[in-house]
Amino acid sequence: MTKRFGGLVATHDVSFTVERGEVVFIIGPNGAGKTTLFNLITGYLRPDAGVIRFRGLPIQGLPPYRITAMGVGRTFQIPKPLAHLSVVENVMLGAFLRAGTYAEAERRALEVLERLEMRELARVEAGSLPVASLKRLEVARALATGAELLLLDEVVAGLSPAEADAFVGILRRLPEMGVTAVGGVEHIMRVVVSIADRVIVLDHGTRLAAGRPEEVVRDPAVVEAYLGTKFARREEAP
Amino acid sequence: MSGGRRWLYAGSLAALLLLLLVPLGVQNAYYLEVLFRIFIFAALGLAWNLVGGYAGQLSLGHVAYFGVGAYAFTLLTLDLGWNPWLGVAGGVGFSLVAALVIGSITFRLRGPYFTLATIATAEILRLLVLNLQDFTRGAIGISTPPLFPGPSADRAFYLAAVLLAAVAYAFNLWADRSRFGYYLMAIREDEDTAMAVGVNPARTKLLALLPSAAITSLAGSLYASSFHYIQADYIFSIDISNQAAIVAMLGGAGTALGPVLGSVILTTASELFKEVFQTAHLLIYGILIILVVLFLPGGVIGFFGRRSRRRAQREPGPFAGSLSGEEGSPRHSSSSST
Ligand SMILES: Nc1ncnc2c1ncn2[C@@H]1O[C@H](COP(=O)(O)OP(=O)(O)OP(=O)(O)O)[C@@H](O)[C@H]1O
Ligand SMILES: [Mg+2]
């Protein structure tokens, strides 16, 4: 798919497929087009060219809430909880999509919190959470919608190395829950390389490389354009 | 259901029963009239709250449905010979149609643009009613039919206002604890997030406007009949839109109790100081809303009820729109006031 903002081509002919049950990372530095890509898939932006299919059905041009209802969940780069509601009430917001009653939504929400190991935060006011928990809350809310495909923008930004590891670890467990995960990260990190089924490297809106992480890391184009200049940062990253 | 919630329901029910018994003790027509106004404006604030509080869409044009309710009830009854209560129901019908039209236009807009558009649509209706003289008697105004004939009309109007406020209050309580209410709050917080949990913001806002407009319309019919006379300039006055919003924001927008509290405070205060300030009440409203926005963003409930979690949004964005609307209101409504 291709998306232009005026003269700027934010994504240029980017094309990829994600299989059910995979964990895939989109890797690209600031401004590479990760968020644009997620916005295209979830209907927040319309592609200028290209086709987007989910379970074989074309979804480009559908409004975001329809795409959510079809089973595509997402988180936002900047978490936006309902600050004055509790954690479980925020997750219920997602659960209501498939729950008929208030009680059922609450039960589903608590289940999701349990699975994400944040049950003890259920009654905490969402506005008082630290960034790491907020990110997890975003995942919980998206999971509660019954999503089969989860797009997680900027999964490590603002997290400490330990928190980043824990968060990426959650993504690793999503396939067991029947959920396919696509995460966006800025750098090639060890933990990403170790758990990803596949990675896709974006640079200035174009797909630079894609494949199994070990292969991509050795891809000359990636080493040249991305790792070459950022090697020091890669070493710093967890 | 949590224990606190149970107490809230029980307390609300007890309060309603007490309020329904008031006419047994209070016979004084003046007091009954003030009480009538308290609950009419509580109903207006509660109706507004669904759209302006829970969904965070700062309408300053709710008088549109108030005026349509007043005029439709009056004209259907007088000119088409309908039973007055059928006229009231007809008013609700017209208001729902108006809500669908006005909502589909204004809900496309955000923030201050939305607020200005709601003011504009209400003003257009006022001018239409003023100028369609063949139908509406124009600026001369029109005497309204009685809904409660007989000597105990004061009491009946009071009871009707209490019941209307109770229905509106029940809608607000329901918003606290339902998918629909959660979706409204999600829209208030951020429409992008709302869409990510499957909410269609345009449709949901319109759905919230329907009960809001219906209750406002009923309040308009009641008010028209109790006042015996209506005229477009005051029945479509922006004062009434403002008052619906101020009552809710003063008490606590986005809470069920807030608008009730706000109306008790504001209506009582404006009654007490009526002699002192005369027409300066418009200025007082303006100053009041600025003070509330600056120092009491969650209203009285937000200030005292730290535990109340359904406080109004603190974002300055939507309220900035109301500020400018409020500052301008004394000029807009020179012809208002009863
Ligand atoms: N709505 C928009 N209008 C104009 N330009 C945009 C818009 N959204 C993104 N861009 C531009 O498109 C390019 C890709 O941005 P995008 O946000 O997709 O990158 P990203 O990979 O998510 O980066 P980041 O790490 O900053 O989140 C950037 O140059 C950005 O400035
Ligand atoms: Mg981004």
Side-chain angles (χ1 to χ4, degrees):
Chain A
M1 40 200 144
T2 297
K3 178 72 198 176
R4 294 183 208 92
F5 295 115
L8 179 95
V9 185
T11 64
H12 180 67
D13 246 349
V14 176
S15 165
F16 63 95
T17 308
V18 177
E19 303 292 336
R20 183 182 290 262
E22 275 191 312
V23 175
V24 175
F25 282 92
I26 313 264
I27 302 172
N30 266 329
K34 303 178 297 287
T35 300
T36 303
L37 205 57
F38 288 146
N39 283 337
L40 288 170
I41 298 169
T42 49
Y44 287 81
L45 292 172
R46 276 162 186 269
D48 294 311
V51 189
I52 304 163
R53 287 177 194 282
F54 176 64
R55 297 151 100 204
L57 300 170
I59 57 170
Q60 76 276 7
L62 291 182
Y65 50 88
R66 290 278 307 280
I67 294 176
T68 308
M70 292 176 76
V72 181
R74 72 166 293 172
T75 66
F76 290 93
Q77 187 161 349
I78 302 159
K80 291 171 189 162
L82 299 195
H84 57 289
L85 295 188
S86 70
V87 166
V88 66
E89 288 170 324
N90 269 275
V91 180
M92 284 168 68
L93 205 52
F96 273 124
L97 187 61
R98 318 261 176 223
T101 64
Y102 190 87
E104 193 189 337
E106 189 167 30
R107 194 176 46 72
R108 282 182 72 111
L110 288 171
E111 260 170 42
V112 170
L113 288 175
E114 187 83 58
R115 276 190 276 166
L116 293 186
E117 290 164 17
M118 53 189 304
R119 176 69 207 256
E120 70 285 356
L121 294 178
R123 305 292 162 188
V124 175
E125 207 169 85
S128 67
L129 292 180
V131 187
S133 305
L134 276 181
K135 292 224 161 200
R136 217 179 268 222
L137 173 58
E138 287 261 314
V139 178
R141 191 178 58 204
L143 264 183
T145 64
E148 291 172 34
L149 170 65
L150 220 49
L151 304 172
L152 302 121
D153 198 2
E154 223 53 81
V155 292
V156 296
L159 302 186
S160 73
E163 289 168 343
D165 275 359
F167 194 84
V168 174
I170 291 179
L171 304 198
R172 175 65 283 179
R173 299 212 319 273
L174 289 177
E176 304 159 17
M177 308 176 196
V179 176
T180 309
V182 179
V185 287
E186 276 185 19
H187 326 295
I188 300 186
M189 310 182 311
R190 214 175 319 131
V191 59
V192 166
V193 172
S194 69
I195 75 158
D197 293 309
R198 280 189 305 132
V199 298
I200 295 157
V201 181
L202 277 187
D203 188 36
H204 290 103
T206 52
R207 194 182 90 168
L208 208 60
R212 303 195 52 77
E214 334 51 281
E215 296 161 14
V216 168
V217 172
R218 269 182 255 112
D219 188 311
V222 175
V223 175
E224 169 78 23
Y226 187 70
L227 295 179
T229 53
K230 300 239 165 91
F231 200 74
R233 282 175 73 184
R234 178 204 164 191
E235 287 305 297
E236 280 166 24
Chain B
M1 197 194 311
S2 68
R5 207 68 200 163
R6 209 166 284 153
W7 278 111
L8 180 62
Y9 294 152
S12 303
L13 213 58
L16 174 61
L17 289 178
L18 272 179
L19 288 171
L20 291 177
L21 292 178
V22 161
L24 295 180
V26 181
Q27 314 280 340
N28 181 310
Y30 170 71
Y31 288 134
L32 279 174
E33 197 218 307
V34 173
L35 285 170
F36 168 76
R37 252 183 291 147
I38 287 180
F39 288 100
I40 280 289
F41 282 108
L44 282 179
L46 286 161
W48 179 91
N49 204 28
L50 292 172
V51 172
Y54 287 94
Q57 307 298 307
L58 205 116
S59 159
L60 288 180
H62 258 57
V63 73
Y65 315 112
F66 189 85
V68 166
Y71 266 91
F73 148 69
T74 304
L75 296 177
L76 289 173
T77 307
L78 290 186
D79 291 351
L80 297 186
W82 289 23
N83 172 294
W85 289 101
L86 214 56
V88 171
V92 171
F94 277 105
S95 289
L96 290 178
V97 173
L100 285 174
V101 174
I102 294 175
S104 355
I105 299 168
T106 55
F107 281 140
R108 291 159 200 256
L109 305 169
R110 304 278 174 99
Y113 301 102
F114 167 78
T115 303
L116 287 174
T118 58
I119 295 172
T121 47
E123 275 295 287
I124 289 170
L125 276 177
R126 181 179 70 82
L127 292 173
L128 269 180
V129 170
L130 210 52
N131 289 297
L132 289 176
Q133 293 176 11
D134 292 344
F135 284 118
T136 63
R137 328 292 199 269
I140 303 164
I142 181 169
S143 291
T144 56
L147 277 171
F148 303 104
S152 48
D154 292 336
R155 265 177 280 170
F157 273 115
Y158 162 77
L159 289 175
V162 168
L163 287 177
L164 182 61
V167 169
Y169 179 73
F171 261 105
N172 281 250
L173 282 183
W174 174 65
D176 279 338
R177 278 290 181 277
S178 65
R179 159 163 47 191
F180 187 66
Y182 272 52
Y183 281 3
L184 294 182
M185 291 187 259
I187 288 170
R188 172 178 75 198
E189 205 80 20
D190 184 54
E191 292 199 7
D192 283 345
T193 309
M195 290 194 285
V197 292
V199 179
N200 175 344
R203 198 175 129 250
T204 308
K205 286 187 278 191
L206 206 53
L207 281 177
L209 183 60
L210 293 180
S212 179
I215 293 163
T216 306
S217 178
L218 289 169
S221 302
L222 273 183
Y223 191 87
S225 181
S226 85
F227 207 76
H228 306 302
Y229 167 83
I230 53 174
Q231 200 266 4
D233 280 326
Y234 83 83
I235 216 77
F236 278 99
S237 161
I238 192 176
D239 278 3
I240 292 169
S241 295
N242 291 345
Q243 212 160 331
I246 297 172
V247 153
M249 287 167 66
L250 174 67
T255 70
L257 265 178
V260 181
L261 215 59
S263 180
V264 171
I265 296 171
L266 198 72
T267 314
T268 313
S270 74
E271 204 54 42
L272 289 177
F273 300 122
K274 190 169 60 178
E275 305 301 321
V276 187
F277 294 116
Q278 312 256 348
T279 53
H281 69 277
L282 295 173
L283 184 68
I284 311 257
Y285 282 174
I287 293 170
L288 198 64
I289 201 160
I290 292 169
L291 291 179
V292 168
V293 167
L294 288 182
F295 301 111
L296 271 185
V300 176
I301 297 256
F303 184 71
F304 288 107
R306 283 261 155 246
R307 282 178 44 81
S308 160
R309 291 172 305 150
R310 321 254 169 221
R311 258 167 306 181
Q313 246 282 61
R314 278 155 184 273
E315 258 179 353
F319 292 120
S322 86
L323 265 180
S324 50
E326 273 316 305
E327 284 162 347
S329 68
R331 266 169 287 132
H332 281 300
S333 44
S334 49
S335 59
S336 71
S337 200
T338 54

